[in-house]
Amino acid sequence: MQERALLQSFWHRRVKEEESAGTTASADTDRLFTEIFEKYYSRIFNYTAYRVSCRYTAEDLTSQVFEKTWFRLHSYSPEKAPFEVWLFAIARNVVNDHYRSRKRNLFFSLEAVRELVSGKKTPDEQLLEGERNNRLSTALDTLTTKERNIVALKFGADLKNKEIAGLTGMSESNVGVILYRSMKKLKADIGSVEQL
């Protein structure tokens, strides 16, 4: 809520400045962007991680989301959509562009090998975590693109059903039904969280 108030005042001040002299408010923009980055980084990262199943790719895509946010911040209009909806629409488009631009390699993941030799965890811990992540990733791959996007928005981005409905153009009840069916599919594939 605080960022919405900040964005409202920023947007109205920006409009007035543009109307009067065309001056820029770069210090305010920097401060606003920093607050947005700190508040939303983990949610955007979680959303992209749910969508792509690779930590390094999710980090790259998250960077792209904030880069696009920086360049488009001046065009945000609170009258058109809440800020979260606008921001996650950028994130969704970045992930969709990623899938359009790459061919999927199912046989070998350089990132997995890089993580395996990083030395942060013992090899046994890395192996178990890798197996858990692979099972979850495989289960997420059984979902349709629409289902996976909604699961990512719900659990990765931590959005409410109403916000997801606003972002996707679906009804709130339809979002709830798709989430329920998606969770049922995932549970059938991997069982409970304790079984992971």
Side-chain angles (χ1 to χ4, degrees), residues 99 102-109 134 137-138 141 148:
Y99 277 117
R102 84 177 243 277
K103 292 181 180 177
R104 195 169 188 159
N105 183 355
L106 296 174
F107 303 107
F108 182 73
S109 168
N134 284 340
S137 178
T138 302
D141 285 343
R148 190 168 180 155

Side-chain angles (χ1 to χ4, degrees), residues 1 45 65 68 81 83 98 100-101 127 154 171 187:
M1 292 299 157
F45 174 78
V65 169
K68 288 188 179 204
F83 181 74
H98 165 73
R100 274 189 223 113
S101 67
L127 187 64
K154 180 70 176 182
S171 70
K187 189 173 181 178

Side-chain angles (χ1 to χ4, degrees), residues 91-136:
R92 181 187 60 195
N93 291 337
V94 166
V95 172
N96 290 342
D97 289 346
H98 165 73
Y99 277 117
R100 274 189 223 113
S101 67
R102 84 177 243 277
K103 292 181 180 177
R104 195 169 188 159
N105 183 355
L106 296 174
F107 303 107
F108 182 73
S109 168
L110 185 59
E111 289 82 16
V113 173
R114 206 177 299 155
E115 196 165 284
L116 195 62
V117 296
S118 68
K120 292 180 182 173
K121 296 179 180 176
T122 66
D124 289 343
E125 290 171 335
Q126 291 178 357
L127 187 64
L128 287 173
E129 185 176 319
E131 285 178 13
R132 278 189 227 116
N133 288 341
N134 284 340
R135 285 186 64 199
L136 182 59

Side-chain angles (χ1 to χ4, degrees), residues 46-47 50 150-159 164 179 183:
N46 289 338
Y47 169 74
Y50 265 86
I150 290 174
V151 167
L153 288 169
K154 180 70 176 182
F155 299 105
D158 200 26
L159 293 178
I164 296 171
L179 274 172
M183 292 299 101

Side-chain angles (χ1 to χ4, degrees), residues 22-184:
T23 58
T24 61
S26 64
D28 284 346
T29 305
D30 290 348
R31 184 175 61 86
L32 175 65
F33 182 76
T34 301
E35 289 180 23
I36 291 168
F37 182 83
E38 289 172 354
K39 180 169 178 75
Y40 289 102
Y41 178 83
S42 63
R43 292 173 64 195
I44 294 291
F45 174 78
N46 289 338
Y47 169 74
T48 56
Y50 265 86
R51 293 285 313 272
V52 298
S53 301
C54 172
R55 191 177 113 213
Y56 301 107
T57 304
E59 288 173 352
D60 288 345
L61 294 177
T62 301
S63 296
Q64 289 176 31
V65 169
F66 283 104
E67 182 183 344
K68 288 188 179 204
T69 301
W70 170 258
F71 286 113
R72 295 180 184 167
L73 194 57
H74 70 282
S75 67
Y76 169 69
S77 174
E79 287 82 22
K80 292 182 181 172
F83 181 74
E84 286 183 354
V85 171
W86 181 78
L87 182 62
F88 281 99
I90 291 174
R92 181 187 60 195
N93 291 337
V94 166
V95 172
N96 290 342
D97 289 346
H98 165 73
Y99 277 117
R100 274 189 223 113
S101 67
R102 84 177 243 277
K103 292 181 180 177
R104 195 169 188 159
N105 183 355
L106 296 174
F107 303 107
F108 182 73
S109 168
L110 185 59
E111 289 82 16
V113 173
R114 206 177 299 155
E115 196 165 284
L116 195 62
V117 296
S118 68
K120 292 180 182 173
K121 296 179 180 176
T122 66
D124 289 343
E125 290 171 335
Q126 291 178 357
L127 187 64
L128 287 173
E129 185 176 319
E131 285 178 13
R132 278 189 227 116
N133 288 341
N134 284 340
R135 285 186 64 199
L136 182 59
S137 178
T138 302
L140 286 170
D141 285 343
T142 63
L143 301 178
T144 66
T145 303
K146 183 188 221 178
E147 292 168 335
R148 190 168 180 155
N149 186 43
I150 290 174
V151 167
L153 288 169
K154 180 70 176 182
F155 299 105
D158 200 26
L159 293 178
K160 296 178 177 129
N161 288 5
K162 184 177 182 179
E163 294 168 322
I164 296 171
L167 181 62
T168 59
M170 296 187 302
S171 70
E172 190 176 344
S173 62
N174 195 12
V175 169
V177 168
I178 291 172
L179 274 172
Y180 174 76
R181 290 181 183 160
S182 300
M183 292 299 101
K184 200 172 177 179

